[in-house]
Structures are given as C-alpha cells and as structure tokens.
Amino acid sequence: YHHGRGPVHINVPISEPLFEFNTTELPQVRVIRRYDGLNIYNQSYDELFERLNSYDKRMMIAGQQMMIYMFDKPVARALNKNFVWLTEYLGNKTTGGTAIQNFDTILYSLHDKEKERYRPELVITYGGHIVSKRLKQYLRENPPKEHWHVAADGKVVDLFGVLTTVIEMTPFEFLDRIAPHIEKVKGEYNQLWESKSNSLVQPELSYSSMGVVGQIIGNLPIPSALHL
C-alpha cells in the first residue's frame, strides 16, 4: 500500500531435489526498515536516535544534489563534530560539516592493515549518484554495521549491500531533526580522516597533459570546479 497498491512480487528460491525437506532452520536475513518521516504520530523514532548515538565511527556521504542548502549554525556545529563527511563536487555544498573531497586519494593510499581503522560503523547517505567506484568498493569490502539512506521518495537504494534503514523525508529536514539529539562521539575517528586528508600532498607534474590540467584547475577562481 506504500505510495499506491501493489503488485507485490516475492521470489522464493528453490533447488533440486524439490521433495527433500532436510533444512532445520530458516537462514538469517537482513531486514530493511522504513521510517515514514520522523513523525511521532506514525512511529517512535527514539530507538533510531539510540542506535545513532551508540556508534562512535559515523560517516555521512552526500550524493549528487541540484541545490545548495545552508544549515543553521547550531545545527552545523552539532553535525560537523560528530560525523566524517564525504562529498564529491556533484554534492554541491550540501554538507553540514567540513567535507572531505579527496577521499578517493585517501582510500588509494591506505595499506591493507589500515583499512579496518578507517571503516565506519554507521554510514548515512543522502542525495543522488555517488560516482567514486573506489568508495563503493571499499565499503562493500569493509562494510559498516548499518547503512541508512535518507530520501523523500523512500526508495530502497542498497549501494553497499548492507542497507538497514530507509528514512522517507528530505535529507535536510532529517539532519535538522537529528542535530539536537546527537551525542558527542568518543575516540578520534573524525581526526583520523581529517589528518590523513590534510597530509596528502599534491604531486608536482612536469609539462604534460595532466600537468596542464592541474595548472588550469589550480588557477580557476574560487568557487569553481572543472569537470573533464
């Protein structure tokens, strides 16, 4: 009945032989829960806040956006300190915190032994497309305990294969709503990403096609982005 009636299609996997009933237990499956907004008259969302605050390694990923959204200062302050924010240029300045944009280079530079340290426990995504194949691969191979997707249409977008929660509301309304309930993270997960991001040095390239492109990008007026 969600956004209109069915049809509902349920796939039941079967295998040969069909008449041997020798399975004693049903397999454990991942349940994806949908919150129809965060309206107290529809369902309680206290449990959602409890789960959010139980994780210290929290990551927010902003996908492609068509708009720029400015958060109020108290909201931005609460969001900035308590999440690692990743965004591409297509995210279009829709992050509540200081965003890390060179995460592709960070992931490329990580040794196998380091990857577990950078793995988030909770990932919250919003917006449209995420271009980075390296980020998708990393989170599929190093999955978080939970993945929440926030979208007004409520569609199930299981980008990393671990989606647990769909929150049907605009991402900016969601972030405004959760900000007063966020408890401060413990540990140094945010600093880990920020330090790595700041430590990466731009390569110095000799005269070449890549060197020329780098010179052009370096001389673009702020704020500008060149897509090739």
Side-chain angles (χ1 to χ4, degrees), residues 140-196:
R140 288 167 186 167
E141 294 176 352
N142 303 271
K145 294 179 181 178
E146 288 201 59
H147 170 204
W148 301 359
H149 183 61
V150 184
D153 58 17
K155 288 183 179 179
V156 174
V157 182
D158 195 5
L159 188 61
F160 312 120
V162 288
L163 185 68
T164 56
T165 306
V166 176
I167 300 168
E168 188 171 316
M169 62 193 305
T170 69
F172 311 115
E173 183 185 1
F174 168 75
L175 294 172
D176 283 335
R177 186 74 66 86
I178 68 169
H181 302 275
I182 295 175
E183 295 176 4
K184 187 177 181 181
V185 292
K186 305 178 185 68
E188 300 178 349
Y189 185 65
N190 294 22
Q191 289 80 1
L192 180 71
W193 276 88
E194 290 172 8
S195 298
K196 190 73 168 181

Side-chain angles (χ1 to χ4, degrees), residues 16 20 27-28 46 52 67 114 134 158 198 205:
E16 299 286 351
E20 288 186 7
Q28 293 292 322
D46 290 341
L52 169 64
M67 60 188 294
E114 290 183 291
R134 186 168 283 120
D158 195 5
N198 295 330
L205 299 169

Side-chain angles (χ1 to χ4, degrees), residues 83-149:
F83 292 93
V84 171
W85 291 81
L86 306 186
T87 185
E88 297 166 315
Y89 281 116
L90 297 178
N92 206 21
K93 292 189 176 180
T94 53
T95 60
T98 304
I100 294 175
Q101 292 187 313
N102 61 344
F103 58 84
D104 245 19
T105 312
I106 293 174
L107 295 176
Y108 181 77
S109 69
L110 294 181
H111 301 294
D112 288 341
K113 293 181 179 179
E114 290 183 291
K115 291 180 178 178
E116 176 61 27
R117 292 181 65 204
Y118 287 80
R119 181 173 72 92
E121 296 172 315
L122 170 66
V123 169
I124 301 177
T125 55
Y126 62 91
H129 296 290
I130 296 170
V131 178
S132 171
K133 293 181 180 178
R134 186 168 283 120
L135 177 61
K136 293 176 219 178
Q137 181 182 14
Y138 172 73
L139 289 175
R140 288 167 186 167
E141 294 176 352
N142 303 271
K145 294 179 181 178
E146 288 201 59
H147 170 204
W148 301 359
H149 183 61

